[in-house]
Every structure is written in structure tokens, then in C-alpha cells.
Amino acid sequence: MVEHLARLASGVSGLDAILGGGFVEGASYIIEGRPGAGKTILSNQVAFAQIAAGRRVLYITLLAETHDRLFQSLSTLTFFDREKLGDGIKYVSVFQSLRDEGLDGVVTLLRKEIQRQAATLLVFDGLLNARERAETDLDVKTFVAEIQSQAAFVGCTVLFLTSTRTKDSSAEHTMVDGVIELCDDIAGVRSFRRLQVRKSRGSRSLGGYHQYEIGEDGIVAFPRLEAVLARTSVEDAPAALRMTSGVDGLDEAMGGGLPAGSITLVMGPPGSGKTSLGINFLSQASGEEPALHFGFYEPPSRLMLKAASLGLDMKDAVASEAIELVWHPLTENILDKLAHHLLEAVRRRGVKRLFIDGLGGFERAAIHPLRLVTFFAALTNELRALGVTTVATWELRDLSGAGMATPMPDISSVLDNLLLLNHVDTGAEVKRLISVLKVRDSAHSSRNHDLVFTDKGLAVVPDEIGGKLPHVAHPRGG
């Protein structure tokens, strides 16, 4: 039988998922990164989370000065509670012991303090200083081993902080159970933070880099979506049901409506009606089919004004919570933060209708565009498994050549249905057209259809002959 190790919740949003369930109780970790990367914030965040759970913490520093400056900085963060100082969490400087008695003096002091505080978490801030005092690698190993043994004796988890990157072959790296690296990098003119679990003994941590940010609540980490959702969180249970698009005539053109739990991409140039089609889709929301608008362009106030101009008033639906409007301006966004925010909003209200306006907002947030296909695969798989019917938009600048069918390489492989909107200048007028390019596993119309605005939003104009839309059967998966 597989044994599951007892875990210590970090209190850092997203970090436990990256660590494979949190810190292993009684284990030791190195948290490394350059000054300003967030090591002190992260370790104090973990410490105060432990205090909130009724545990006790010993925080050791090698600072010559008092801890007042540290507390002043921490006081700007919501997790910091000055009333817990001295009782739940004790800060001790061992600078003088290191200077006067060396590493042995530090170990002796720690032995007494760990037992006196009955600590379940020990934070040692200054491993680099201790290393510089050591004469050989053996001294470093001996020092780390002494602290580990004292901590393990009382079941205490240890976090060593250091401002340098440890080599895989270094004495410190080989001695501890885990190594977490915090980085602050530049991409173009933009800075971004990312962390990596470089070592995780006895845990299935998520490999690779994961972005994080530092705000008033401390550190929030965003596990890379394709890593944390390599498999969907719930089992996909597809059903042969259809959901109305809310656009008169479009359901018939698509062979009976949108397949429930499918992903539909609406492509087209600016002004072709993509957002209006999405508003029509959202207008069918109800208590049984709650909807979510996740957009990057219009803020909620302008979106509701746009809906009203189409004859589709959203105010009542928003007031009754049948529709939720979430807006992320096209500024600096974190790709995985967007996805986690989207999925949280979907799960919180059991959303059945989702309109993403548009997918290009995710593309702009990507530091590494090559991961977008696997990112979208994880996102769409999770949405399908959650039973969400999704309509998303993608703005096209060029409707000629290969760009008409593929807004980005391989993206069509993760989509179920493709709709193309376009303008056509007939000489007498500019007409809007809609084409159904793909409906997975379903017959659908193969013709271009006129798309017009009515007093209830968009509508597809039926064929003149018999008022019916011809259908064509496509092979499975086509």
C-alpha cells in the first residue's frame, strides 16, 4: 500500500498544488532567490499560516540589527498579526552567536530555542552567512545535519532561506528534502516572477516554472495550467444534448444548436458581430443555466450598454446573478492567473454558458507563446468535463489564405466548432455573412448565410427556397 506523508499546508495560494500537497511534515527545504524575490515574505506567510492553525514557529535570523525593520515591512501585508509576535512566533537573531562561537554556537542556541518554543516550524534566514563561516563542505553538511536532527526530534519542519542559487552538487542541496527557487526575470520590457521546485524528495511536485505575484495578501502562485490539469479535475461525461445559441436561425445552420459541453470559436474581423453573437448566447442564461462573460475589451458598464442597444437587456440577469460579468483589461496579465480565475468563476456558480471575448487576451498574456496549444487543451478539456458550453471569439485581421481557418497553429485541434463572420461589399451595401466551418460529429449547413441585426440582436437569414438551411454531414472529428 502506498504511504501518504503528513503534509503541512503552506498558506500560500497555489503553492501546495505545485508541491504535490504542501510541505512534508518534519522535512527540510531550501528557499532560494536573489534579494527582493520574496523569500522573506513567503517564509513569514507560511509561518503565520501555521500560527493560525494553532502551531508554533521559531524564526531565526542572522541579522545584526533588530527585527523592527522586518516587522515594519511585514505590517503592509494582510497575513501579518503583530499580536502573535513573541507567543505563537518567536524571532531570534543568532548573529552574535555566529560571530563569537561559530556554527557550533548557533547549533547549541537552536537546540535550546526549538525545545523552549515547542516549534513545529523553524525558519532559518541566512544559510548563505552560515556557509561563509564554514571552512569546508563537511562543516556545512555537519551544520545542516545538526539542525535537521534537532528539528526532527520534535517533528519540526525546517525552511532554510538563502540569497544564492545552490548547485545540485552542493552540500546544502544534497542534505535537504526540497529546494524551491524564486526568480524575478525580464521579458522584453516586462518583468515577471516565477518559481521552480528544483528538488522534491518523496513528492510528485509539478515540474517546470510557475508564475507568482506579490500583493497585499503576500505571495500567490499560479500553477501552470497544463501541468496541474494534465488530467481533468472531474471525469468528462458527455451527453448528446443541444443548447440554443440565442441567434435566430443559427441553431438550424449548426444542425440543432450548440452541442452541450462543446467549445465554439467565432472568428472574424473587427465589427463583424462576434461580441454581439456572444451577447445573444448569454441572453439565454437562467437559474438553471447560469452564464459567465469573461472579457478583455468592454468593461461591464459598456457591455450592458451594448446589450441594451441590441434589444437584449442584461441588467435583470446580472442583478439576479443569472449572468456574471468578469473583465480583465488588456494590460499586463498573467496567463495562468487568468485561467485559474476563469475556472474559479465557473466552479463557484456552476456556470453552463460561458462566453470568452476573446481568446487573443490569453495569447497576449503568454510569456512563452509556444505553450499556448497545450494551455488551451488543458483549459478546454476542463471546461468540457465541467459541463460548460463555451463560445469564444478570435479577431482576424486577414481573411485571405491560411489565416482564415487557423488563427494560430494547431488551435483548431482543441476546438469543437468553428464559425466565421465576414463582411462582403456587394456594391450596393456591405453585408455580414456567417459560415459554419465545423461542428464536431454533426451535420451542418455548408453555405454562407446573411447575418442581420434585428430588434433582438443577431439573426441568420433563412434560405429563400423553402426557408430551410441545407445541411452537410462531416466525418467524425472533422
Side-chain angles (χ1 to χ4, degrees):
M1 178 180 292
V2 177
E3 182 179 356
H4 296 283
L5 301 175
R7 299 282 179 165
L8 180 154
S10 68
V12 178
S13 178
L15 183 58
D16 290 351
I18 296 171
L19 290 170
F23 294 107
V24 175
E25 287 191 3
S28 58
Y29 295 81
I30 288 177
I31 299 175
E32 61 186 28
R34 292 180 297 184
K39 303 183 298 299
T40 301
I41 292 177
L42 187 146
S43 58
N44 277 280
Q45 198 170 340
V46 175
F48 278 90
Q50 292 308 300
I51 296 171
R55 301 187 177 192
R56 300 174 69 84
V57 178
L58 179 61
Y59 200 106
I60 300 296
T61 70
L62 283 172
L63 301 175
E65 63 269 25
T66 66
H67 292 113
D68 289 346
R69 291 290 299 276
L70 173 63
F71 299 151
Q72 184 180 35
S73 300
L74 294 175
S75 66
T76 63
L77 302 168
T78 57
F79 66 77
F80 180 72
D81 185 353
R82 193 175 289 273
E83 294 183 357
K84 301 296 184 184
L85 300 180
D87 184 15
I89 180 170
K90 184 176 182 180
Y91 289 82
V92 176
S93 172
V94 297
F95 173 79
Q96 188 170 347
S97 296
L98 181 67
R99 185 191 61 187
D100 298 342
E101 305 173 56
L103 296 179
D104 289 342
V106 173
V107 170
T108 301
L109 178 60
L110 289 183
R111 182 184 301 122
K112 295 177 181 177
E113 291 294 342
I114 290 173
Q115 295 181 358
R116 182 182 301 169
Q117 179 69 2
T120 55
L121 174 68
L122 167 65
V123 180
F124 187 91
D125 189 354
L127 185 59
L128 177 61
N129 304 57
R131 182 177 230 295
E132 290 175 345
R133 184 61 187 265
E135 296 181 357
T136 66
D137 281 350
L138 181 60
D139 290 341
V140 177
K141 284 190 175 183
T142 302
F143 175 71
V144 173
E146 286 279 2
I147 294 181
Q148 287 175 319
S149 66
Q150 294 301 323
F153 184 72
V154 294
C156 180
T157 304
V158 183
L159 304 182
F160 292 102
L161 310 189
T162 179
S163 56
T164 186
R165 190 177 196 272
T166 58
K167 296 179 180 178
D168 293 350
S169 58
S170 67
E172 307 95 301
H173 191 108
T174 57
M175 293 292 291
V176 297
D177 301 290
V179 178
I180 302 171
E181 181 183 20
L182 305 182
C183 306
D184 191 356
D185 294 326
I186 296 290
V189 296
R190 175 184 176 186
S191 66
F192 65 98
R193 299 177 185 273
R194 59 181 181 173
L195 67 85
Q196 178 191 17
V197 179
R198 293 180 52 212
K199 179 180 180 181
S200 180
R201 186 181 287 160
S203 299
R204 296 186 62 183
S205 61
L206 299 179
Y209 287 108
H210 309 273
Q211 283 189 255
Y212 68 95
E213 64 179 5
I214 301 176
E216 64 177 11
D217 295 329
I219 287 180
V220 177
F222 306 102
R224 224 173 55 260
L225 195 70
E226 58 270 34
V228 74
L229 287 178
R231 295 286 185 274
T232 56
S233 65
V234 296
E235 186 176 351
D236 190 4
L241 302 174
R242 296 280 182 156
M243 184 175 283
T244 179
S245 65
V247 177
D248 285 349
L250 181 57
D251 292 353
E252 186 180 358
M254 296 185 69
L258 301 172
S262 67
I263 313 293
T264 301
L265 182 63
V266 182
M267 304 179 295
S272 58
K274 301 183 297 300
T275 300
S276 299
L277 190 150
I279 291 174
N280 274 70
F281 175 66
L282 293 177
S283 71
Q284 303 301 305
S286 65
E288 293 70 34
E289 289 185 2
L292 170 66
H293 176 277
F294 194 88
F296 296 92
Y297 303 111
E298 289 98 341
S301 57
R302 291 185 176 274
L303 187 72
M304 287 201 285
L305 187 64
K306 185 183 185 76
S309 69
L310 294 172
L312 300 169
D313 197 343
M314 278 187 175
K315 289 184 179 178
D316 290 344
V318 172
S320 67
E321 300 184 351
I323 297 178
E324 182 182 10
L325 307 178
V326 175
W327 177 53
H328 285 276
L330 274 178
T331 50
E332 288 193 359
N333 288 310
I334 298 174
L335 179 63
D336 296 294
K337 179 181 179 180
L338 290 173
H340 288 293
H341 189 188
L342 168 61
L343 292 173
E344 184 277 329
V346 165
R347 295 188 182 107
R348 174 166 40 82
R349 296 175 51 251
V351 166
K352 296 302 179 187
R353 290 178 173 267
L354 168 64
F355 176 47
I356 303 175
D357 190 22
L359 286 187
F362 290 97
E363 182 186 33
R364 289 172 180 268
I367 300 293
H368 302 287
L370 290 178
R371 58 173 288 225
L372 278 174
V373 172
T374 53
F375 169 86
F376 280 128
L379 179 61
T380 54
N381 287 341
E382 181 69 6
L383 290 172
R384 289 189 191 94
L386 293 173
V388 182
T389 302
T390 304
V391 173
T393 65
W394 196 297
E395 186 165 303
L396 298 179
R397 295 179 180 177
D398 183 8
L399 288 183
S400 62
M404 183 179 70
T406 55
M408 62 176 290
D410 301 324
I411 186 67
S412 61
S413 63
V414 303
L415 304 168
D416 300 301
N417 319 308
L418 289 173
L419 304 179
L420 176 66
L421 307 187
N422 201 359
H423 297 123
V424 176
D425 188 351
T426 65
E429 63 177 329
V430 176
K431 301 178 66 175
R432 285 186 174 82
L433 297 179
I434 184 169
S435 307
V436 182
L437 301 182
K438 169 185 174 182
V439 179
R440 194 186 294 273
D441 302 334
S442 175
H444 59 83
S445 171
S446 61
R447 294 184 177 180
N448 294 326
H449 301 281
D450 289 347
L451 189 65
V452 297
F453 283 97
T454 71
D455 58 355
K456 290 296 181 183
L458 286 174
V460 173
V461 178
D463 281 0
E464 294 180 357
I465 303 175
K468 296 293 185 181
L469 298 169
H471 296 91
V472 60
H474 281 246
R476 186 179 181 82

